[in-house]
Amino acid sequence: MVDKYEDPFVRIASMIGGDEYLKVARSLLKAEDATDEEIASSTGLRINMVRKVLYDLFGKSLITGIRVKDERKGWFVYRWRTRREEVEHFIENQKRKLKKDYNKD
């Protein structure tokens, strides 16, 4: 459950996708530059669900990912971070889309 004092990034994520998005957003705020595996571990969500949420938030420009080589495993992983400064822009874009759709009718 989201309360009115929650960070705007978390509130928007929750509105976009519900409980899973809420958990991922809260985890991202707590651990900047977290991997999908770290987020899955901290939220209790399955890795494929975490990735689905991350890719969706990334597609909406609400988070960003940087690719780094995991020295232990030897392969590349993404470290995810919020783009909280984009929340207002995202909201304004959604308002514009709704207004445009409403005026079509």
Side-chain angles (χ1 to χ4, degrees):
M1 185 75 188
V2 181
D3 68 39
K4 64 183 177 180
Y5 302 110
E6 191 95 52
D7 185 278
F9 171 75
V10 173
R11 290 175 40 209
I12 286 296
S14 177
M15 285 185 226
I16 292 170
D19 194 45
E20 290 89 2
Y21 282 64
L22 172 68
K23 289 177 181 179
V24 170
R26 283 179 176 160
S27 179
L28 281 167
L29 284 181
K30 288 179 188 170
E32 198 81 359
D33 292 334
T35 66
D36 51 2
E37 291 176 348
E38 293 165 347
I39 295 166
S41 176
S42 73
T43 60
L45 296 171
R46 292 186 12 227
I47 191 79
N48 61 337
M49 175 54 74
V50 169
R51 288 178 179 149
K52 175 186 174 284
V53 172
L54 290 170
Y55 298 151
D56 190 27
L57 293 175
F58 179 76
K60 292 174 171 46
S61 298
L62 293 170
I63 64 172
T64 187
I66 56 168
R67 192 175 85 144
V68 294
K69 188 168 186 171
D70 184 322
E71 296 303 327
R72 259 184 326 121
K73 297 176 182 173
W75 59 61
F76 289 99
V77 296
Y78 279 88
R79 296 210 161 266
W80 301 96
R81 113 178 354 191
T82 64
R83 295 186 68 203
R84 293 167 63 201
E85 70 279 1
E86 291 298 318
V87 169
E88 285 300 319
H89 187 251
F90 176 79
I91 292 169
E92 290 305 315
N93 277 342
Q94 296 306 305
K95 285 180 184 178
R96 266 194 297 281
K97 286 179 186 176
L98 287 171
K99 196 176 210 180
K100 183 179 170 187
D101 290 345
Y102 180 75
N103 289 331
K104 279 184 181 178
D105 296 334

